[in-house]
Amino acid sequence: MFSQLVDQVKQQIESAGGEWGVVLEDLQTGEEYRWNAEERFYAASVIKLHIMVAVFGAANEGKFNLSDTLVLRREDITTGAGVLQHMTPGTRLSIYDVITLMIIQSDNTATNMLIDLVGKKRIRDVIKELELNNTTFYNKLQVVPYPLKGSNQTTAGDTALLLKRLVTQKVISWHACEQMIDIMKKQQLNDFLPSNYPDPDGEITGSPKSWEFAHKTGMVTRIHHDAGVLYRNGRALLVSFFSRGLETKEAREAMSHIGQAIYEYMER
């Protein structure tokens, strides 16, 4: 029962401590749980979802094709997550591949390349158009010295709203939403909510996946987020978990237990 899942989530976040923003929604039954859903958190890498939408939107308007290539410049390279910082300047990648790296590896260099491609104003305009009223975008990632114009912020509620619009194909186009969800399903950073999930391919190679989790994480010092849509048994559950004030080990432990409860709920 959904109420039992909510009780388990409440128990875990209370035991973990820190501050949490939570949204759970069963997209089949419509049952929903919200806790501090409009509390603003530093967005960390969750802001990359908004950048992805802005890039897909610009492509849909004919500004460029997702198959067009970007050149990795030395001045693009920044630290933190991702593989592009280790690649040779002059390397060419399709815009689609740069988006993929931004999402599945949380690549900061890829992110900044895409911000330069569409511009900060367009990303802010997309946030406004989607009525994500508690979300702000100001800065590129890992920029030194750090700019003082403001911080990228969002909420569990705004992130859940963005995810729901993607899942229900109410952003840009049906095809664009399908592409974005497909990219998110390839996520390689899986050490929060799905950290204890079994191999989705099971024992039979080529068989349908037993579950898929289209999600995006975000992590900086004492900030840990994981938000997405879990698909299992023909059902879909929207989850948006934001935390502040916990060390990484504590956040991972709490989210792994929550993720397990979510996975078991989807068996019923």
Side-chain angles (χ1 to χ4, degrees):
M1 293 176 60
F2 189 79
S3 61
Q4 292 176 327
L5 173 60
V6 170
D7 288 343
Q8 289 174 293
V9 169
K10 288 179 177 178
Q11 180 182 352
Q12 286 298 329
I13 63 177
E14 182 177 341
S15 175
E19 299 176 74
W20 292 78
V22 176
V23 175
L24 284 171
E25 183 178 354
D26 188 317
L27 296 177
Q28 268 62 50
T29 68
E31 294 171 286
E32 185 181 38
Y33 170 67
R34 301 170 73 89
W35 172 258
N36 286 338
E38 304 314 323
E39 176 69 22
R40 288 191 179 192
F41 289 77
Y42 178 63
S45 289
V46 173
I47 202 69
K48 294 168 184 176
L49 294 176
H50 308 76
I51 297 166
M52 174 174 66
V53 172
V55 177
F56 267 88
N60 187 65
E61 292 174 9
K63 305 292 185 185
F64 45 74
N65 295 315
L66 294 177
S67 58
D68 291 346
T69 58
L70 297 178
V71 178
L72 175 64
R73 303 171 302 172
R74 190 173 302 279
E75 57 265 35
D76 292 327
I77 294 174
T78 190
T79 57
V83 70
L84 286 185
Q85 62 183 304
H86 307 297
M87 297 183 70
T88 305
T91 299
R92 286 186 173 272
L93 301 99
S94 72
I95 294 171
Y96 189 91
D97 287 343
V98 176
I99 297 169
T100 299
L101 289 173
M102 176 179 69
I103 298 299
I104 73 172
Q105 290 192 346
S106 211
D107 195 300
N108 289 331
T109 297
T111 304
N112 290 347
M113 291 170 68
L114 294 170
I115 293 171
D116 285 340
L117 176 67
V118 297
K120 294 179 182 178
K121 182 181 182 299
R122 182 177 188 93
I123 297 165
R124 295 188 192 111
D125 288 346
V126 165
I127 289 169
K128 184 177 181 179
E129 289 164 10
L130 294 175
E131 299 180 327
L132 306 177
N133 298 324
N134 290 306
T135 299
T136 57
F137 170 75
Y138 290 95
N139 303 309
K140 294 169 75 172
L141 279 69
Q142 298 288 342
V143 175
V144 179
Y146 194 78
L148 300 176
K149 294 180 181 178
S151 65
N152 303 332
Q153 294 187 321
T154 191
T155 68
D158 272 9
T159 304
L161 177 58
L162 174 57
L163 290 167
K164 189 170 183 178
R165 287 180 172 168
L166 287 173
V167 172
T168 55
Q169 288 118 25
K170 294 180 179 177
V171 178
I172 306 169
S173 69
W174 173 86
H175 183 57
C177 288
E178 288 287 300
Q179 287 180 296
M180 288 186 276
I181 290 291
D182 185 61
I183 289 172
M184 293 169 65
K185 285 179 178 179
K186 296 180 172 71
Q187 181 60 249
Q188 295 181 354
L189 305 179
N190 293 309
D191 48 357
F192 288 124
L193 289 174
S195 60
N196 290 327
Y197 289 7
D199 180 352
D201 294 313
E203 297 180 358
I204 304 174
T205 302
S207 64
K209 292 181 181 294
S210 59
W211 60 269
E212 292 181 294
F213 191 24
H215 70 123
K216 183 74 192 75
T217 60
M219 184 180 77
V220 295
T221 303
R222 296 175 70 81
I223 297 281
H224 304 87
H225 311 322
D226 200 349
V229 179
L230 177 63
Y231 298 89
R232 189 175 184 216
N233 292 331
R235 299 168 57 198
L237 184 73
L238 190 156
V239 299
S240 182
F241 282 82
F242 281 55
S243 73
R244 177 169 56 218
L246 299 176
E247 299 300 332
T248 299
K249 181 179 179 181
E250 298 169 328
R252 282 178 175 161
E253 182 176 1
M255 286 209 199
S256 69
H257 288 304
I258 290 168
Q260 189 64 37
I262 289 168
Y263 185 83
E264 291 171 0
Y265 167 77
M266 297 290 278
E267 283 184 348
R268 303 165 190 165

